[in-house]
Amino acid sequence: MAEENKFKEIESKWQDYWNKNPDLYSAKDNSDKPKKYVLVEFPYPSGSGLHIGHAFSFTGGDVYARFKRMQGNNVMFPMGWDAFGLPTENHAIKMKRRPQEVTKENTDNFREEMKKLAFSFDWSREVNTTDPDYYKWTQWIFIKLFEKGLAYKQEMPINWCPSCKIGLANEEVIDNKCERCGAEVSRRNISQWVVKITDYADRLIDGLKETDFIEKVKQAQINWIGRSQGARIKFQVKSLSSLSSVRKLEVFTTRADTLWGVTFMVISPEHPFVASLLKSKVIKLESLKAVEDYVNQARKKSDLERAELQKEKTGVFTGVYVVNPANGKEIPLYVADYVLMGYGTGVVMGVPAHDQRDWDFAKKYNLEVIPVIEDGGHDYVKEAMVSVDKGKMINSGFATGMEVKEAINKVNEWVEKEGIGERTNMYHLRDWIFSRQHYWGEPIPMIFCESCAKNQNLESRIKNQEENRKKINAGWYPVPEEQLPIKLPEVEAYEPTDTGESPLAKMTDWVKTTCPKCGGEAKRETDTMPNWAGSDWYFLRYCDPVNDTELASQEKIKYWMPVDVYVGGDEHNTLHLLYSRFIYNFLFDLEVVPTPEPYKIRMSHGVILGPDSQRMSKSRGNVVVPSVVADKYGVDVLRLYLMFMGPFDSTMVWNEKTVMGAKRFLDRFAQFIKIQFSIFNETVESSKEVKVIINKLVAGVTRDLESFGYNTAIAKLMEALHKFSKSNFQFSIEDIKTLIKLLAPLAPYTAEELWSQVRDKDDDDVSVHVAPWPRVEEKYLVEETVTMPVMVNGKVREQIVVDRSSIVDKKKIVKMAKEKEKIKKWLEECEILKEIYVPGKLVNFVVSTK
RNA sequence: GCCGCUGUGGUGAAAUUGGUAUACACGUACGUCUCAGAAGCGUAUGCCGAAAGGCGUGUGGGUUCAAGUCCCACUAGCGGCACCA
């Protein structure tokens, strides 16, 4: 009990001190020191306080920031709040409170907890995405996207929860059910803002080369974007004279070499050609009916159902034929829902010999299978011969006899020359749906004017199709910049709507505005932005958090960016990282930021599982709350344990017993320093032996902290402490201070307390956290004697101890080794074939029995 | 199916990048302190063997004086993507 009070006393004492001296941790916008921007993902301030994942992530960042600060860097380690979002909105609706209030409470609570856990954030740079002075610039970015043609309105299906009366993001839909209320989710078509992230697809892949992200993160980004190289190829539609507008259908393929193997063509039910086909009535009546039914059925199926029915391919013949441009053959056109309208051209060429899906389809509808790659007698009755990227072409006109890779190239060339297609890339990445039908988000700063829209539509009908995109946005104007921010109207209480519109739509006074173009009556956009919008650029705002004329000043951005290390969770390695990289790239094009990539290094930490090895969740009851652990054992013990559990980037299981190990170490460490200091006197100098241990320790800990090897850094401190406590070493005051400094980033309270006791009141820094990091004296890294293993046939048989000065003398060392009794025995009756000596490392005799 | 990562004691994990495998910690056993317990502290702890010694980093092969580390094949688990043409 007494002990417990002791650590709490120390914690509150130093927390107080740090609060009163914010300069300790503040970043200077100008400095002779090198800058270091250490960023941790800012949290969503939920009502339940910091969870263990926050504590883990922030401790990791904090140790690094403290370490870098002590090394003499001008460190920026900021914190803020990603505070827009559903939980707050729902809570506010339920309790009939204003979300602004709820957010204020939560962020106050989070801030207090963070201070307690000794995170050395620069609180003068705090940002909050729900602050109008902040989201003014989030809105500004959207307007720029619109002005550059990267934002457009489009009818899009959304996930609609009929019970919550709210549109759901994909992440909120689990098994086709609403994540919160469990009701079956339906789909509604709603006109939404979409951002053309696909325009940046190539740059988002290629830009990864300029970063030091770990491979896992790079691959996740590349997979998500999903680039494939191939060609679009046009197929002539046969004998449909009355269908004057469409004479050709275009497919996308990565394997142009298989063109001679195409025996049918499949089109997606959503393809506009299918609709016009139905309208035109050029096809036979029975086909017409079948196609109509099929299309209607497909529309009813959800994406999930369509994907789940993978094995069974379905489709119907349209009655229409197209011409294979390679050999002039007429092939049938089918409608089938295994072709996705959202990828490629929505039309696929069927190559049943070499694609399993096409083969399945061909089998079901009895279509011809023509192999075009040497198959060594493959049996096409059973399955297709797939993933053939080697071999010679057969049955393939001019390409016959070519190697596959060559054929792909040659056919692509031929297709381009003949004007029937072109090389192109396709991406799995889709444009980014940017509208949310919620209250608690940034209002999208757009105004719709009906009369302007009518005029524009008229005009664009006169101009040609190039204007198509503008037509979609007809009547939409950005709010003039000087009117930003468009603030969320404050309301006492509000309810979601029934119509699929945002709750803002009900606030008619707010919605009504004037058209920036014609000055007539117009309406505001009532949708708000997705959660990602505010977190896309927050790291820029930290550079200059109160600027009201720019999102941040050029000068400060140039000084601080890019972020040197970005610490965050695996779950943000795809979307958040991709979106923020995209926005940063875009800002680079606007010449707002100096480089195309925002983050130099991405450090993604692992997950901490509950004691039962399951993900922590309230329903499982296995949640570990950091503040509870800190109350029980002390903040430093918690921090030390978190960092010692295992490698920073791996998944780990919480084990309360192991926490004791951290506690024991910390207690022993503190006691050791106190005893040493009490017996210390000015005449004492550390022995050479001590200096060697300490210098090796400094070198090792420095190297480990640099690379986030916190677990091994702590292990090295433990090891050194063992060595010290087993002998009667004496320590100079400098060495005692060095040990405290090494501990400081990991256990800031304990280190600060010890420092206050041993520091020289006149000479030393008041806080250990701004004291200079210990330097390594190289001369102490080498010991005077070296212990080397002596091996026979690669097995260790003996050790020899040699003077460092003589390790270059191979003859002498080998002789010494041979004279060892044990080695003599092993060399008896043997012929030495080889004597291997690695200076300072080992001796190895390769022998054979006679 | 494609891409990436990982397999080391009873457990979490180390290994200076090809050079003494299992550091550090947990757990366990024994000892010590105590009236007693808890907490401390100390010693031991990969497997077989009385010992000498042998065997050991998912499995099988290879390169090398030397392989947890490099190469090939397999296998298991984790993560990302996925009717993506």
Side-chain angles (χ1 to χ4, degrees):
Chain A
M1 202 55 192
E3 202 188 341
E4 193 177 307
N5 289 333
K6 211 167 149 199
F7 73 69
K8 283 189 178 161
E9 217 173 86
I10 290 171
E11 283 173 12
S12 68
K13 171 171 141 198
W14 291 111
Q15 204 181 302
D16 232 43
Y17 177 79
W18 296 337
N19 276 337
K20 284 179 189 145
N21 296 277
D23 239 25
L24 286 174
Y25 302 138
S26 69
K28 318 289 181 289
D29 286 329
N30 292 298
S31 170
D32 298 337
K33 298 173 179 177
K35 74 98 182 175
K36 226 14 154 192
Y37 189 169
V38 183
L39 182 68
V40 290
E41 283 171 1
F42 65 161
Y44 174 75
S46 71
S48 44
L50 286 184
H51 60 66
I52 200 77
H54 291 131
F56 184 57
S57 178
F58 301 158
T59 303
D62 186 61
V63 173
Y64 193 78
R66 287 180 183 276
F67 165 60
K68 283 289 153 193
R69 220 177 265 126
M70 289 174 77
Q71 274 192 326
N73 296 285
N74 180 26
V75 170
M76 172 152 76
F77 185 48
M79 182 39 65
W81 318 108
D82 188 15
F84 277 127
L86 271 181
T88 303
E89 172 161 327
N90 290 335
H91 180 80
I93 292 172
K94 214 195 234 164
M95 310 304 281
K96 299 218 181 290
R97 297 182 64 196
R98 298 167 52 240
Q100 288 85 345
E101 258 172 53
V102 178
T103 298
K104 168 102 178 40
E105 272 174 27
N106 290 348
T107 53
D108 285 349
N109 178 32
F110 263 59
R111 196 182 305 104
E112 274 320 295
E113 286 202 54
M114 286 175 176
K115 284 186 174 176
K116 200 181 155 192
L117 293 182
F119 301 137
S120 59
F121 295 128
D122 177 355
W123 289 106
S124 70
R125 293 173 185 268
E126 183 178 342
V127 302
N128 185 328
T129 55
T130 66
D131 180 348
D133 291 336
Y134 178 93
Y135 67 67
K136 171 180 179 177
W137 299 105
T138 314
Q139 292 174 332
W140 180 84
I141 291 171
F142 183 84
I143 289 174
K144 293 294 157 194
L145 286 168
F146 177 82
E147 286 173 357
K148 296 288 172 190
L150 291 168
Y152 59 95
K153 264 252 161 171
Q154 197 175 61
E155 281 265 319
M156 282 262 177
I158 60 157
N159 303 302
W160 175 256
C161 173
S163 145
C164 302
K165 294 175 183 171
I166 219 155
L168 302 175
N170 283 333
E171 310 80 273
E172 295 165 317
V173 182
I174 315 249
D175 288 339
N176 212 36
K177 287 189 177 116
C178 172
E179 185 191 37
R180 282 161 302 147
C181 71
E184 191 86 8
V185 170
S186 61
R187 289 151 75 82
R188 282 193 178 193
N189 272 323
I190 288 188
S191 167
Q192 310 205 67
W193 287 103
V194 182
V195 171
K196 290 199 83 180
I197 189 172
T198 49
D199 276 12
Y200 281 70
D202 281 322
R203 287 169 61 180
L204 289 170
I205 291 176
D206 299 339
L208 290 169
K209 287 190 203 113
E210 280 159 46
T211 69
D212 289 323
F213 299 175
I214 51 171
E215 196 55 28
K216 168 173 82 165
V217 177
K218 286 188 181 180
Q219 285 306 325
Q221 300 262 305
I222 291 169
N223 278 343
W224 186 264
I225 297 167
R227 175 166 64 190
S228 8
Q229 299 177 328
R232 308 167 83 110
I233 301 175
K234 288 179 196 137
F235 284 61
Q236 186 85 34
V237 179
K238 187 74 184 164
S239 64
L240 277 180
S241 49
S242 56
L243 253 186
S244 58
S245 60
V246 185
R247 282 240 169 89
K248 281 173 181 164
L249 280 173
E250 213 175 16
V251 300
F252 173 72
T253 179
T254 54
R255 295 295 299 266
D257 58 314
T258 61
L259 204 50
W260 282 266
V262 177
T263 56
F264 61 96
M265 181 181 264
V266 195
I267 189 164
S268 164
E270 291 91 353
H271 198 285
F273 179 80
V274 176
S276 58
L277 204 61
L278 290 171
K279 239 201 246 160
S280 69
K281 318 235 154 139
V282 290
I283 51 179
K284 282 187 204 137
L285 211 59
E286 63 268 36
S287 313
L288 188 75
K289 181 82 176 69
V291 171
E292 207 162 32
D293 286 351
Y294 188 81
V295 170
N296 284 336
Q297 237 172 48
R299 193 176 297 148
K300 272 189 223 148
K301 283 192 212 165
S302 67
D303 283 355
L304 197 80
E305 283 172 310
R306 270 168 76 161
E308 262 179 1
L309 297 169
Q310 271 184 47
K311 291 137 222 151
E312 189 68 9
K313 299 272 176 292
T314 62
V316 291
F317 177 47
T318 58
V320 173
Y321 288 85
V322 296
V323 180
N324 184 340
N327 52 19
K329 273 193 188 167
E330 290 182 17
I331 55 173
L333 174 69
Y334 280 75
V335 183
D337 66 4
Y338 79 89
V339 178
L340 308 172
M341 193 53 222
Y343 184 75
T345 61
V347 187
V348 173
M349 59 186 216
V351 187
H354 303 296
D355 182 292
Q356 194 55 44
R357 288 164 319 209
D358 294 345
W359 185 92
D360 291 344
F361 194 78
K363 191 182 180 197
K364 182 153 181 184
Y365 297 101
N366 229 347
L367 298 158
E368 196 182 359
V369 178
I370 303 175
V372 289
I373 299 163
E374 227 172 26
D375 53 20
H378 179 87
D379 181 6
Y380 293 95
V381 177
K382 277 194 201 135
E383 58 184 0
M385 187 175 81
V386 296
S387 36
V388 264
D389 50 8
K390 271 189 261 208
K392 285 212 160 62
M393 304 301 301
I394 53 171
N395 304 330
S396 292
F398 75 82
T400 303
M402 288 181 189
E403 271 296 316
V404 164
K405 275 183 189 139
E406 189 195 358
I408 295 177
N409 262 320
K410 286 278 153 64
V411 176
N412 278 336
E413 272 170 29
W414 173 78
V415 154
E416 278 180 342
K417 207 177 74 204
E418 295 291 313
I420 51 174
E422 57 179 359
R423 275 177 231 237
T424 183
N425 288 338
M426 284 293 169
Y427 306 89
H428 295 178
L429 182 70
R430 303 292 148 81
D431 277 344
W432 179 14
I433 300 175
F434 209 73
S435 293
R436 297 291 183 275
Q437 294 71 41
H438 293 297
Y439 170 81
W440 195 227
E442 302 89 346
I444 294 175
M446 297 295 295
I447 293 169
F448 180 69
C449 174
E450 207 152 326
S451 60
C452 287
K454 276 179 191 153
N455 291 337
Q456 263 184 20
N457 278 334
L458 213 68
E459 277 169 40
S460 70
R461 228 172 288 155
I462 300 160
K463 291 184 187 169
N464 60 21
Q465 282 185 319
E466 290 293 298
E467 296 286 304
N468 246 343
R469 194 162 67 206
K470 281 191 183 158
K471 202 166 109 192
I472 298 168
N473 288 336
W476 283 102
Y477 299 100
V479 169
E481 268 179 47
E482 62 276 11
Q483 286 176 30
L484 294 181
I486 297 303
K487 290 189 192 173
L488 275 171
E490 300 244 351
V491 283
E492 290 306 318
Y494 58 87
E495 294 293 329
T497 68
D498 229 342
T499 58
E501 286 177 301
S502 151
L504 289 174
K506 278 188 175 172
M507 298 167 193
T508 44
D509 287 352
W510 183 83
V511 171
K512 212 167 113 181
T513 187
T514 54
C515 172
K517 178 89 185 286
C518 70
E521 197 172 292
K523 284 180 167 178
R524 289 191 192 284
E525 170 62 64
T526 57
D527 282 352
T528 53
M529 299 188 195
N531 229 215
W532 310 107
S535 57
D536 279 340
W537 68 281
Y538 71 111
F539 44 87
L540 281 169
R541 191 63 176 173
Y542 285 140
C543 299
D544 193 7
V546 288
N547 195 326
D548 61 2
T549 57
E550 298 168 277
L551 55 79
S553 88
Q554 284 292 298
E555 194 194 342
K556 289 177 184 176
I557 290 173
K558 281 209 180 90
Y559 177 70
W560 285 113
M561 293 302 291
V563 171
D564 292 284
V565 182
Y566 191 15
V567 178
D570 282 343
E571 69 276 19
H572 290 136
N573 283 344
T574 40
L575 295 184
H576 165 63
L577 230 54
L578 195 73
Y579 291 147
S580 59
R581 289 180 57 230
F582 159 59
I583 292 296
Y584 201 79
N585 252 281
F586 171 67
L587 292 173
F588 174 70
D589 289 347
L590 293 184
E591 296 180 1
V592 173
V593 299
T595 56
E597 287 291 331
Y599 319 117
K600 266 195 203 151
I601 297 175
R602 166 73 176 179
M603 192 62 220
S604 91
H605 64 248
V607 183
I608 298 181
L609 303 174
D612 54 356
S613 302
Q614 301 286 309
R615 248 173 206 282
M616 288 189 194
S617 78
K618 277 183 195 154
S619 57
R620 284 205 192 88
N622 61 351
V623 175
V624 175
V625 181
S627 61
V628 171
V629 181
D631 276 345
K632 194 163 162 195
Y633 302 99
V635 169
D636 285 347
V637 171
L638 170 66
R639 290 175 55 115
L640 223 38
Y641 170 64
L642 285 172
M643 297 300 101
F644 185 61
M645 287 173 88
F648 190 60
D649 58 359
S650 72
T651 303
M652 286 161 300
V653 176
W654 181 266
N655 180 353
E656 182 114 6
K657 272 187 180 158
T658 318
V659 178
M660 287 310 295
K663 181 167 164 48
R664 276 195 276 266
F665 162 68
L666 203 61
D667 289 346
R668 274 192 284 226
F669 187 98
Q671 201 188 11
F672 168 78
I673 296 286
K674 281 177 193 159
I675 290 170
Q676 285 306 321
F677 186 65
S678 69
I679 61 168
F680 152 80
N681 73 64
E682 309 255 330
T683 61
V684 174
E685 262 305 308
S686 301
S687 66
K688 180 133 194 233
E689 207 180 348
V690 168
K691 282 192 181 299
V692 168
I693 296 174
I694 292 216
N695 277 281
K696 281 189 164 176
L697 179 65
V698 172
V701 170
T702 305
R703 197 176 50 232
D704 285 350
L705 294 186
E706 192 69 59
S707 58
F708 284 75
Y710 297 144
N711 54 335
T712 50
I714 294 167
K716 287 185 175 90
L717 285 165
M718 289 171 165
E719 207 178 348
L721 187 62
H722 275 151
K723 281 186 195 155
F724 291 152
S725 53
K726 273 179 194 157
S727 326
N728 287 323
F729 290 134
Q730 296 230 319
F731 295 81
S732 69
I733 189 72
E734 274 323 304
D735 287 336
I736 293 173
K737 284 179 188 169
T738 293
L739 289 171
I740 298 173
K741 287 178 185 177
L742 292 180
L743 183 74
L746 294 152
Y749 287 122
T750 308
E752 193 78 308
E753 175 68 16
L754 293 171
W755 182 256
S756 74
Q757 290 168 22
V758 309
R759 80 185 178 89
D760 186 317
K761 304 292 183 254
D762 298 323
D763 291 346
D764 285 321
D765 291 293
V766 177
S767 169
V768 69
H769 300 298
V770 288
W773 191 252
R775 293 249 298 275
V776 177
E777 286 181 79
E778 298 288 336
K779 63 177 174 178
Y780 291 117
L781 290 184
V782 287
E783 281 153 296
E784 277 164 2
T785 58
V786 181
T787 308
M788 282 187 285
V790 180
M791 301 165 153
V792 178
N793 279 343
K795 293 218 161 73
V796 182
R797 299 300 177 187
E798 185 54 296
Q799 309 273 338
I800 49 169
V801 179
V802 198
D803 268 8
R804 175 154 293 276
S805 56
S806 58
I807 60 169
V808 287
D809 190 345
K810 177 175 174 180
K811 264 189 196 161
K812 187 178 161 190
I813 306 277
V814 169
K815 192 167 163 247
M816 251 177 90
K818 278 184 188 166
E819 279 163 6
K820 284 273 172 186
E821 282 306 315
K822 259 192 172 173
I823 298 300
K824 269 186 191 165
K825 222 171 71 194
W826 281 99
L827 296 181
E828 263 170 31
E829 317 253 314
C830 289
E831 190 186 346
I832 300 178
L833 301 173
K834 226 175 188 181
E835 293 168 353
I836 293 174
Y837 174 59
V838 184
K841 293 281 187 189
L842 54 84
V843 183
N844 188 16
F845 297 106
V846 185
V847 300
S848 71
T849 41
K850 275 178 185 162

